[in-house]
Amino acid sequence: MKNIFRIILAVFVSAAVISCDKDDDSLGVDLEGLAAPSNLGATFKITQDNTGMVTIIPTGEGANLFTVDFGDGSTPSEEISVGESVTHTYAEGNYNIIITGTNIAGESAEGTQPLTVSFRAPENLEVNINRDPQDSYTISVSATADYAAMYNVYFGDVVDEEATPLMVGETVSHTYETVGTYNVRVVALSGGEATIEATQEVTITDPLFLPVDFESEKLDYTWAGFGGASGEVISNPDMDGINTSSKVVELIKSAGAETWAGISLSLDEPLNFAEGTAVKMKAWSPKAGVPVLFKIEDSGSEPDANGNPTVFVEVISNTTTTGEWEEMTFDLSSYAAFDPSVDYDRVIVFYDFGNTGEGTSFYFDDIRLTNLEPLKLPVTFDSSAINYSPAVFGGASFEVVTNPDKSGANTSTTMVGALTNAGNAWEGASFNLEEQVDFSGDNKTITIKLWSDVALPVLLKFEGGVNGERQTEVVANHGGAGWEELSFNFSTDAVKSYIDGSQGVGEAFVPTGEYATMTIFIDGPGNSAGTFYLDDIQKLQTGETSYISIFSDVADDVVVDTWRTDWSNANYEEVTFEGKLSKHYRNLNFVGIETVTNQLDITNMNHMHVEFYTENATSFKVKLVDFGSNGVYEQGGDNTEHEVVIENPAQNQWVSVDIPLSDFTNLTTREHISQLIFSATPTGTANVYVTNLYFHN
């Protein structure tokens, strides 16, 4: 089917070329913008008569003409069109067939397809069948065999099925229409008459589990009624309001039905409480105030005297509307015996519970698990009604624990998130937020309290753009001093994240959309193992953040007297480096930056932010000097100062640092900041670029 589609597409393109010759401008064809042909290869048909005759059918995307180099030193074929073939006779051996494809702009590309020609029957056939993890109806088939030139695959779901060709080293996929058991037959072909084949049995199932919307034509939605109630999936009788879906469940509680009459549905997979411990269900009742009991059971638990499972959870709630759809909530955790470790695999619905049936029809739809409180920023890990469990990867693990170290930036006695690294590169955790983070406004700063006893980089990444927005990330550095508050400014520090096959990775990027997934890497590229703690992940509200900008875009820059004092020991220039306007200090020993004329009052600030890039520095030092109340630097006077050292910063990449001003311990006054001094090691040879320098609160 894939090859037929390519042929049709290529014929269409060829037709467009003919029309272009007549009136290229009228079609608006941009020949220069056409991509080169790609995915070039071929399929083979081998005559099984020991003649070595092979029919070669070129394949590829974006090509309308092909030539075939037969790989045996003979003259290549003349150009042929899409869907056409060439025939060539081979001696026994292994060949690399080179397919050259040319598009309508005359641009060409090559692809290689291996071919084995043998008159000996194939041997040692091995067939591999894999299921698509995203589609339970789809399988993929590959095969290997000695002396095989190609394979024919029969998927077993069609009478008089035409074989699907499978080339050596490739894979073919197939999607079944219905559940069932099928015999997949693979025949290995060579250039001789003899073949070898193997058959494997494949069972296609479609497990039923929550969430369930009753829209599938393939799933078995059989509801078992009891006590005088019955249920079945029907067309939605009231496609209005919050429920315009096509299919719903009708529950009929017949006249005289038992007070406990209801219907049950057996699931193929137990409820997964990682998705939440509350059930949401759309419900329709002809009157308000109808009691609805929602029950789940462990069907394998010990039965009671009536044969009903003894392990169950049931929650009751009343309808609130008359003759219209509403969404009801059943908090399973409110039931005293609820145990999320139990495999509950049966759902039971009772309408008008406790009352005798009156021959009334009720409807329900869209049963799903959820959390009573959505996971959204701020994330504090303190609510028992929120499922904080992220998707972990790369060997990492996560749990919510009591704050183990009530000090530094986090003295709270409540809960925190514990993220444990196994010591692998790029392990981490992704939080799926039910309320997206909105970067459309001016405020794009996220803060995280993080505990670590080693200095390391922390990467915060936002994915799952609601409208396909580009993934984006910011790196901040932790100093290794226990609880510290890190700031991730997506206005000034964000870059494009890695996406397989995408360009622009690492380029500056300011997000403006909404994102549903927040991913955290602690020492992403490194192999730091151990447990790190997270708390109070939040987006600062508009108006809360103030800035004093020295050299950035977050606010107007203050007046700087000089970016290199005459007592400095470094070379200085202002340059654009990797797309960022930067202060470049070469052969850096130390450099003084002064704001003596307009001294800075940073008493209302709590962080200093700076980004730097170095090729060779093994430490980078930042010193702040306050000239005191008289505004003059005097030996023995009231001026104060303190230096913060960043050891072993990452090299050959931008490093973003948000330093709490509380780390400048000896800077006891902050009303007259007049000097900022950068220094680095190795002394006198360090090469450093600096940008995005500001204070904020």
Side-chain angles (χ1 to χ4, degrees):
M1 182 180 296
K2 183 185 296 182
N3 291 334
I4 292 173
F5 172 76
R6 291 175 176 169
I7 292 169
I8 293 172
L9 177 61
V11 170
F12 172 79
V13 174
S14 299
V17 175
I18 296 171
S19 300
C20 285
D21 290 339
K22 296 178 181 179
D23 187 2
D24 183 68
D25 292 337
S26 66
L27 288 178
V29 177
D30 179 13
L31 296 181
E32 294 183 357
L34 287 177
S38 59
N39 296 328
L40 294 166
T43 59
F44 305 130
K45 293 180 180 178
I46 301 176
T47 304
Q48 293 177 265
D49 56 3
N50 294 345
T51 63
M53 183 175 293
V54 179
T55 300
I56 302 170
I57 307 167
T59 61
E61 298 173 5
N64 65 309
L65 293 174
F66 299 97
T67 58
V68 179
D69 183 330
F70 300 107
D72 60 355
S74 61
T75 303
S77 73
E78 296 182 354
E79 285 187 329
I80 60 175
S81 299
V82 174
E84 294 182 345
S85 62
V86 294
T87 301
H88 191 72
T89 300
Y90 287 91
E92 285 188 290
N94 297 313
Y95 303 94
N96 286 320
I97 313 302
I98 300 175
I99 307 298
T100 301
T102 305
N103 65 16
I104 60 177
E107 192 169 359
S108 298
E110 291 184 351
T112 300
Q113 187 74 53
L115 170 67
T116 297
V117 176
S118 174
F119 304 143
R120 181 174 176 176
E123 299 174 1
N124 302 318
L125 174 61
E126 293 185 6
V127 176
N128 296 306
I129 300 178
N130 295 305
R131 297 180 182 274
D132 186 334
Q134 306 300 324
D135 182 357
S136 58
Y137 289 85
T138 297
I139 65 170
S140 60
V141 178
S142 61
T144 60
D146 297 335
Y147 313 115
M150 62 171 292
Y151 308 87
N152 281 335
V153 182
Y154 301 86
F155 293 98
D157 57 344
V158 176
V159 177
D160 298 326
E161 179 180 1
E162 181 179 344
T164 299
L166 170 62
M167 297 299 103
V168 173
E170 296 187 351
T171 300
V172 293
S173 296
H174 182 73
T175 300
Y176 291 94
E177 291 296 324
T178 60
V179 297
T181 300
Y182 303 93
N183 291 317
V184 178
R185 185 165 64 99
V186 178
V187 181
L189 308 174
S190 69
E193 295 180 1
T195 63
I196 185 174
E197 64 179 65
T199 301
Q200 288 190 21
E201 190 176 86
V202 173
T203 299
I204 301 299
T205 61
D206 198 348
L208 180 63
F209 54 88
L210 298 191
V212 59
D213 61 8
F214 309 108
E215 299 295 327
S216 174
E217 298 294 334
K218 302 173 181 178
L219 288 172
D220 182 6
Y221 299 125
T222 301
W223 287 84
F226 54 89
S230 62
E232 65 175 334
V233 175
I234 66 168
S235 296
N236 187 350
D238 185 14
M239 297 175 64
D240 196 12
I242 65 169
N243 191 10
T244 59
S245 66
S246 298
K247 300 292 184 180
V248 300
V249 178
E250 180 184 34
L251 186 156
I252 301 175
K253 192 167 184 178
S254 61
E258 301 288 350
T259 58
W260 40 264
I263 58 176
S264 68
L265 178 68
S266 294
L267 304 175
D268 295 314
E269 296 182 7
L271 276 65
N272 177 13
F273 295 112
E275 299 171 358
T277 57
V279 171
K280 294 279 189 180
M281 182 178 79
K282 292 177 182 175
W284 190 100
S285 170
K287 60 182 180 180
V290 172
V292 180
L293 179 71
F294 189 91
K295 184 177 183 178
I296 57 175
E297 294 178 339
D298 175 5
S299 64
S301 62
E302 187 74 22
D304 61 16
N306 297 317
N308 298 315
T310 53
V311 177
F312 60 86
V313 173
E314 55 186 23
V315 180
I316 195 166
S317 182
N318 291 342
T319 62
T320 61
T321 61
T322 299
E324 64 182 63
W325 287 100
E326 64 177 309
E327 188 166 58
M328 302 185 71
T329 301
F330 304 90
D331 182 7
L332 302 177
S333 64
S334 66
Y335 189 75
F338 172 66
D339 182 354
S341 67
V342 171
D343 288 338
Y344 300 97
D345 59 356
R346 183 179 294 158
V347 169
I348 308 173
V349 178
F350 306 80
Y351 259 98
D352 204 15
F353 183 76
N355 299 311
T356 303
E358 299 177 348
T360 307
S361 288
F362 305 92
Y363 306 95
F364 60 89
D365 196 10
D366 295 336
I367 305 174
R368 62 187 176 92
L369 286 168
T370 188
N371 295 297
L372 290 183
E373 293 180 21
L375 180 60
K376 62 180 182 178
L377 298 188
V379 177
T380 64
F381 304 105
D382 294 330
S383 174
S384 60
I386 297 177
N387 179 15
Y388 293 106
S389 298
V392 292
F393 50 89
S397 61
F398 180 88
E399 62 179 331
V400 176
V401 300
T402 303
N403 184 358
D405 180 13
K406 304 170 186 63
S407 65
N410 191 5
T411 58
S412 71
T413 58
T414 52
M415 310 304 285
V416 299
L419 181 60
T420 300
N421 280 2
N424 303 316
W426 300 113
E427 57 187 326
S430 292
F431 294 86
N432 293 318
L433 305 174
E434 295 181 68
E435 183 176 302
Q436 294 80 19
V437 176
D438 185 1
F439 283 124
S440 61
D442 293 333
N443 175 25
K444 304 178 192 293
T445 298
I446 306 294
T447 60
I448 300 177
K449 292 178 182 177
L450 190 141
W451 185 97
S452 173
D453 57 0
V454 294
L456 38 69
V458 179
L459 186 149
L460 180 63
K461 178 179 181 181
F462 282 95
E463 307 166 88
V466 175
N467 297 307
E469 290 88 350
R470 185 67 157 81
Q471 297 178 6
T472 182
E473 63 191 49
V474 170
V475 175
N477 286 280
H478 193 285
W483 281 109
E484 298 177 14
E485 186 173 60
L486 305 183
S487 181
F488 302 82
N489 191 329
F490 284 79
S491 291
T492 59
D493 305 335
V495 298
K496 294 178 180 178
S497 299
Y498 173 79
I499 299 177
D500 189 21
S502 178
Q503 302 301 313
V505 174
E507 292 179 355
F509 176 76
V510 179
T512 58
E514 298 180 4
Y515 294 83
T517 302
M518 177 178 67
T519 301
I520 298 174
F521 299 86
I522 298 177
D523 195 21
N527 56 2
S528 296
T531 299
F532 308 92
Y533 300 98
L534 312 169
D535 202 10
D536 297 336
I537 306 172
Q538 60 186 335
K539 182 173 183 285
L540 296 182
Q541 298 301 310
T542 303
E544 287 190 2
T545 305
S546 297
Y547 299 94
I548 297 176
S549 176
I550 301 175
F551 183 65
S552 76
D553 293 327
V554 299
D556 292 337
D557 292 340
V558 299
V559 176
V560 175
D561 297 332
T562 179
W563 285 96
R564 181 191 177 280
T565 59
D566 54 10
W567 43 264
S568 298
N569 187 356
N571 302 112
Y572 160 72
E573 61 180 342
E574 183 174 285
V575 298
T576 298
F577 179 71
E578 290 200 341
K580 297 183 179 184
L581 187 63
S582 307
K583 303 297 183 180
H584 181 203
Y585 296 103
R586 290 181 293 108
N587 302 320
L588 175 62
N589 183 357
F590 55 86
V591 61
I593 302 164
E594 290 191 336
T595 55
V596 177
T597 304
N598 296 279
Q599 298 176 358
L600 308 181
D601 181 355
I602 62 171
T603 53
N604 292 324
M605 303 290 107
N606 53 33
H607 284 80
M608 176 186 173
H609 181 90
V610 62
E611 289 179 46
F612 65 94
Y613 182 108
T614 181
E615 300 160 353
N616 62 345
T618 56
S619 70
F620 183 66
K621 306 174 185 179
V622 181
K623 178 185 287 188
L624 292 177
V625 182
D626 187 289
F627 278 12
S629 58
N630 64 0
V632 178
Y633 186 87
E634 297 174 326
Q635 289 290 344
D638 61 352
N639 33 269
T640 63
E641 62 184 55
H642 189 88
E643 183 176 73
V644 171
V645 181
I646 301 165
E647 296 285 1
N648 299 313
Q651 295 180 353
N652 298 307
Q653 67 182 57
W654 283 102
V655 176
S656 178
V657 181
D658 227 38
I659 308 173
L661 292 181
S662 58
D663 287 358
F664 293 88
T665 309
N666 297 322
L667 189 71
T668 55
T669 57
R670 302 179 187 171
E671 298 178 5
H672 303 279
I673 300 296
S674 302
Q675 285 180 349
L676 168 62
I677 301 172
F678 292 137
S679 58
T681 56
T683 302
T685 60
N687 189 33
V688 179
Y689 298 84
V690 177
T691 191
N692 285 330
L693 178 59
Y694 56 86
F695 299 96
H696 68 89
N697 64 357

